[in-house]
Amino acid sequence: MNKNHYFCEITEKRTYNKLTDITVAFPDADKICAPGQFLHILCGGNSFLRRPISICDVSKSTLRFIFEIRGEGTAALAQKEEGDIVDMLAPLGHGFDLMKKDEKVIAIGGGIGCFPLLYAAKKCGNVSAILGFRNAEAAYPKFVDDFKEVCDVILMTDDGSAGIKGFTPQGLEKMIANGERPDKIITCGPMVMMEKIISIARENGIVCLASYEERMGCGIGTCLCCSTKIDGKMRCVCKEGPVFEFAE
Ligand SMILES: Cc1cc2nc3c(=O)[nH]c(=O)nc-3n(C[C@H](O)[C@H](O)[C@H](O)COP(=O)(O)OP(=O)(O)OC[C@H]3O[C@@H](n4cnc5c(N)ncnc54)[C@H](O)[C@@H]3O)c2cc1C
């Protein structure tokens, strides 16, 4: 059997609106998995291809992921209960490079793109976060509370129904204007949000690591269905990414 192929028992499951928060037993997850890497999950039901879901958090013996029900695959996965087994390829891809412990990092997430940033934030020595959601209903309270245990969090919503009204790039611009310039930005979220974050980072000479979410087939770089143009070059998101570095 492939050394990346796991069958993991669900030890904890929570649901919140369209989100499902699953923890599975995964021995040595903290040694094996890097922040920003992802799982390729056989969801069940009629979905034939695996679906990519980010690693949200790990411990010595568990791995957590949170996903939104979008279509057939995620709907079938959300049916699984505690005690059921999840078939996954893990961990896949290239995650966030967070080797320098002394650098000041800002984690900026949008919607489901907030989830991969929790484990990443835990790996940073000096970190704060801006988490953006559509509205209060989308801002999963358990996740936001877990993040607040790791670092200072600025919560933003598009409509102002929770936290500060506005979009995360505005939050970043305000931080920089207040003299709180980070050495590095790590980000994941909708493309339009990440493009804006990358452009603010470049204008201010800040290194930015952005995690891309493309539709994927194999997850291991053979089918190339996730190839996309990044910074003028065709890149295979599952194998070369999903995290790409945009130098200052
Ligand atoms: C590296 C990576 C990490 C991801 N991490 C998470 C995560 O932590 N939590 C989470 O909720 N989702 C995550 N996603 C998105 C998730 O993979 C898709 O929502 C899922 O594959 C949809 O499958 P489905 O069968 O439910 O829906 P489908 O029937 O396949 O599609 C339903 C809708 O979702 C859209 N969609 C499908 N795949 C993607 C995709 N990859 N990116 C954007 N839109 C898509 C389709 O265009 C369609 O509108 C991640 C995607 C990638 C590539």
Side-chain angles (χ1 to χ4, degrees):
M1 192 186 295
N2 185 301
K3 69 177 171 57
N4 288 106
H5 194 181
Y6 293 88
F7 296 90
C8 305
E9 183 179 342
I10 299 178
T11 55
E12 204 178 336
K13 179 189 172 188
R14 294 168 196 265
T15 55
Y16 175 75
N17 295 327
K18 285 179 100 178
L19 296 176
T20 304
D21 178 349
I22 285 181
T23 300
V24 294
F26 197 108
D28 290 331
D30 58 341
K31 295 198 185 93
I32 297 170
C33 306
Q37 288 190 297
F38 68 96
L39 318 166
H40 215 25
I41 300 179
L42 203 55
C43 296
N46 291 326
S47 68
F48 174 71
L49 291 173
R50 292 173 182 272
R51 300 292 192 268
I53 302 289
S54 300
I55 294 170
C56 171
D57 202 4
V58 299
S59 74
K60 263 189 174 161
S61 56
T62 63
L63 188 156
R64 178 184 183 193
F65 54 96
I66 305 176
F67 60 94
E68 185 176 69
I69 299 177
R70 285 270 174 88
E72 203 171 24
T74 45
L77 186 59
Q79 296 298 311
K80 292 200 186 280
E81 296 298 342
E82 287 175 12
D84 286 348
I85 300 296
V86 182
D87 173 338
M88 58 172 80
L89 303 179
L92 298 186
H94 178 88
F96 293 107
D97 173 12
L98 301 164
M99 297 304 280
K100 292 185 202 141
K101 276 279 166 215
D102 52 340
E103 63 192 357
K104 183 175 170 186
V105 178
I106 295 189
I108 305 175
I112 57 168
C114 293
F115 304 137
L117 299 179
L118 179 62
Y119 179 31
K122 283 187 176 175
K123 288 278 182 185
C124 301
N126 179 0
V127 62
S128 61
I130 306 175
L131 303 180
F133 295 93
R134 268 190 314 276
N135 49 37
E137 225 176 52
Y140 175 28
K142 168 89 176 85
F143 173 78
V144 175
D145 287 348
D146 290 346
F147 224 116
K148 285 182 179 165
E149 297 214 340
V150 178
C151 66
D152 286 340
V153 171
I154 297 173
L155 178 66
M156 300 187 73
T157 50
D158 302 357
D159 64 359
S161 53
I164 299 168
K165 184 174 190 271
F167 300 103
T168 55
Q170 295 166 327
L172 174 63
E173 276 170 336
K174 205 166 165 193
M175 250 184 180
I176 294 171
N178 289 342
E180 298 166 54
R181 182 188 172 282
D183 300 309
K184 188 177 268 180
I185 295 168
I186 59 173
T187 186
C188 184
M191 211 46 235
V192 27
M193 180 201 100
M194 290 208 298
E195 276 168 0
K196 187 78 186 135
I197 300 285
I198 292 164
S199 115
I200 297 170
R202 282 198 160 143
E203 281 162 23
N204 290 278
I206 303 167
V207 174
C208 183
L209 304 178
S211 182
Y212 277 64
E213 288 193 358
E214 280 299 322
R215 297 209 73 163
M216 283 180 185
C218 69
I220 52 170
T222 48
C223 76
L224 301 181
C225 98
C226 62
S227 292
T228 191
K229 211 174 219 177
I230 296 177
D231 241 0
K233 276 195 210 137
M234 287 309 282
R235 310 292 293 267
C236 176
V237 173
C238 71
K239 193 165 181 204
E240 293 179 74
V243 177
F244 292 91
E245 176 168 336
F246 296 83
E248 71 272 34

